Amino acid sequence: MIYQARISPDGKRHFTYASEGAEHIHGFSPAAVMKDPSLIYSQIHPEDRAFIASEEERTTRDLVPFDVETRLVMPSGEIRWSRIFSRPRREADGSIIGDGLEIDITERKRAELELRQNEENSRITLNSIGDGVISADIGGRVIRMNPVAERLTGW
């Protein structure tokens, strides 16, 4: 979703533009998001809200880029992941305008979790083998060894 958000000097927030990506990521039409920004904010996972609020405050205070990953709770209860980038600027009236991009990173997060789980399973398996096992890269550098190999080699 490509968007433009405006925070007025009194702290009110609204979207001045939201692309069709709002429908894909959040399930809401761009018109609905521009009419009621709370539709999107309410989807932020409760455990992520304080972090998002502190990053948003830092961004608006210091006019530094906003770049966060957050979980979204969809109406179905499904948890999805989103990465949000925004670059703020101050307008003459004191408002902060953020031109931003939000992308769905759910599949990447799922792949990262699966990779971590596979690495943990490999570690557990390697450590439970009764023989010494040493893995080396193509240059011959040892990259992994199990406790039996450590005892045998003294490394």
Side-chain angles (χ1 to χ4, degrees):
M1 172 174 87
I2 298 170
Y3 66 90
Q4 186 177 75
R6 180 182 190 92
I7 302 172
S8 61
D10 64 3
K12 291 186 180 171
R13 305 165 190 275
H14 69 279
F15 290 98
T16 55
Y17 175 78
S19 71
E20 292 298 320
E23 186 86 40
H24 170 72
I25 295 173
H26 296 281
F28 302 115
S29 71
V33 168
M34 289 187 289
K35 182 177 180 183
D36 183 4
S38 71
L39 293 172
I40 287 181
Y41 290 111
S42 67
Q43 287 182 325
I44 296 171
H45 193 284
E47 293 175 9
D48 295 351
R49 288 181 184 158
F51 170 71
I52 297 297
S54 70
E55 286 300 297
E56 201 171 60
E57 191 274 328
R58 183 181 69 84
T59 294
T60 56
R61 181 190 64 232
D62 301 337
L63 294 180
V64 296
F66 183 76
D67 184 356
V68 298
E69 293 181 357
T70 187
R71 294 170 290 175
L72 303 173
V73 181
M74 306 310 289
S76 66
E78 175 190 13
I79 303 295
R80 299 200 54 85
W81 281 87
S82 171
R83 184 165 184 186
I84 307 165
F85 307 91
S86 181
R87 186 167 293 283
R89 67 180 187 280
R90 189 173 312 278
E91 296 286 282
D93 70 354
S95 295
I96 304 291
I97 302 293
D99 297 307
L101 172 69
E102 181 179 16
I103 56 175
D104 184 332
I105 59 168
T106 304
E107 291 308 313
R108 188 194 89 200
K109 286 295 198 176
R110 288 179 181 156
E112 287 172 355
L113 176 60
E114 186 177 334
L115 180 61
R116 279 193 304 274
Q117 289 170 338
N118 287 340
E119 287 174 348
E120 178 64 10
N121 290 341
S122 294
R123 188 190 62 75
I124 290 168
T125 300
L126 182 66
N127 289 341
S128 67
I129 294 173
D131 296 322
V133 178
I134 300 174
S135 297
D137 65 15
I138 198 161
R141 291 179 298 261
V142 174
I143 56 171
R144 183 178 292 174
M145 61 188 337
N146 70 352
V148 175
E150 289 175 10
R151 282 192 304 276
L152 290 172
T153 63
W155 295 344

